[in-house]
Amino acid sequence: KLVYGAPLADASGGVCGTFLLIEAERRQAAEQFIKDDPYMQAGLFADHQLTALHEAAPPMPFEVGK
């Protein structure tokens, strides 16, 4: 499932990509999530990188956009 998403900014503040934090039991599920993404299917992403994250601290509550 999608936990968080935000546009990535380049040095001048322009949008240069997208960051998605996905929660998945297995890598295969995360790969399927990316494959099923409407932007990916529309060819709007030139490429992608899937990286595992090891949680180092309990999740902190936050408000998107704050």
Side-chain angles (χ1 to χ4, degrees), residues 5 8-9 11 13 15 17 19 21 23 27-28 33 40 47 50-51 55 64-65:
L8 297 174
V15 175
F19 171 83
L21 178 59
E23 181 180 335
R27 184 176 184 90
Q28 181 180 3
F33 183 95
M40 184 65 81
D47 60 12
L50 180 60
T51 304
E55 197 171 317
V64 175

Side-chain angles (χ1 to χ4, degrees), residues 29-53:
E31 290 169 349
Q32 188 65 49
F33 183 95
I34 292 168
K35 182 179 177 182
D36 293 341
D37 182 89
Y39 288 176
M40 184 65 81
Q41 290 181 351
L44 298 176
F45 296 134
D47 60 12
H48 70 278
Q49 180 177 351
L50 180 60
T51 304
L53 178 70

